[in-house]
Every structure is written in structure tokens, then in C-alpha cells.
Amino acid sequence: MSIPHWPQAASVELEDWGAGSNTLAGAPRASGKILSQNPDGSSECGLWSCTPGTRKVTFAADEFCHFLSGRGSYVHDNGEQIPVGAGTLVFSAPAGPASPSSRKR
């Protein structure tokens, strides 16, 4: 089996995933490309991008994000805020500090 990889990740063409039904403010549109996904959907890896706006995100599985550009924040239902920007790493698990629901901006 070949190891999934993108030698030139910056040149990967993202697919338009459209506006989600989880929009809270603005008109964020998501796009991305999946590099690898477990058959049962328990894990996936890829690239993701979103235009400005506020969305409600619920984590059903572990999620690791490495922000390459932009800025925003995760806001937990209890008010805890995690600011993010270029270079920020965030790990969320369904029972973790930014779950079960967070807002990405």
C-alpha cells in the first residue's frame, strides 16, 4: 500500500464544500481535500480552508488542526476561548477542552 502524501501541499486544488447549515454569522464557505480516511470514518487527514464567518462545530472524533494562515478562535459553550492564527496547533477530542461544541471563525 502506498503511503498517502502530497509532495507539494501548497499546490493541492481544494474542492468547494459550500456553505454549511451550521453558520452562526457571516457567510463562511468551506473548501478542502481529503488525503486519507479510515473506511469507518473514525479518522481523516487533509487540507481545509474557510472564508470569514462564525460556524458551530461539533467534534464527533479527535481533531488536530495546524493553522497555516488566517486567524480566529474556538469558543467553548462555557465561554473558554482559544485564539488561533498562523502557526497555532489545536487538538480537540470529543471530551476535550474545546468540545463538544466550538465555534471557528
Side-chain angles (χ1 to χ4, degrees):
M1 175 165 119
S2 177
I3 295 174
H5 72 288
W6 287 319
Q8 299 292 325
S11 65
V12 171
E13 187 172 334
L14 303 183
E15 301 164 2
D16 183 4
W17 293 343
S21 60
N22 55 354
T23 298
L24 299 174
R29 293 185 64 84
S31 59
K33 183 86 171 181
I34 302 300
L35 173 63
S36 178
Q37 183 175 36
N38 286 349
D40 66 359
S42 63
S43 176
E44 68 181 25
C45 176
L47 299 172
W48 171 85
S49 179
C50 185
T51 61
T54 303
R55 308 171 343 140
K56 183 167 181 92
V57 178
T58 301
F59 298 98
D62 294 353
E63 180 171 312
F64 171 80
C65 293
H66 178 188
F67 292 82
L68 301 175
S69 65
R71 61 182 167 65
S73 63
Y74 288 86
V75 181
H76 191 282
D77 287 340
N78 70 9
E80 176 188 6
Q81 294 190 32
I82 300 170
V84 297
T88 303
L89 303 176
V90 177
F91 177 76
S92 298
S99 296
S101 352
S102 295
R103 292 184 190 122
K104 291 184 182 176
R105 187 189 213 114

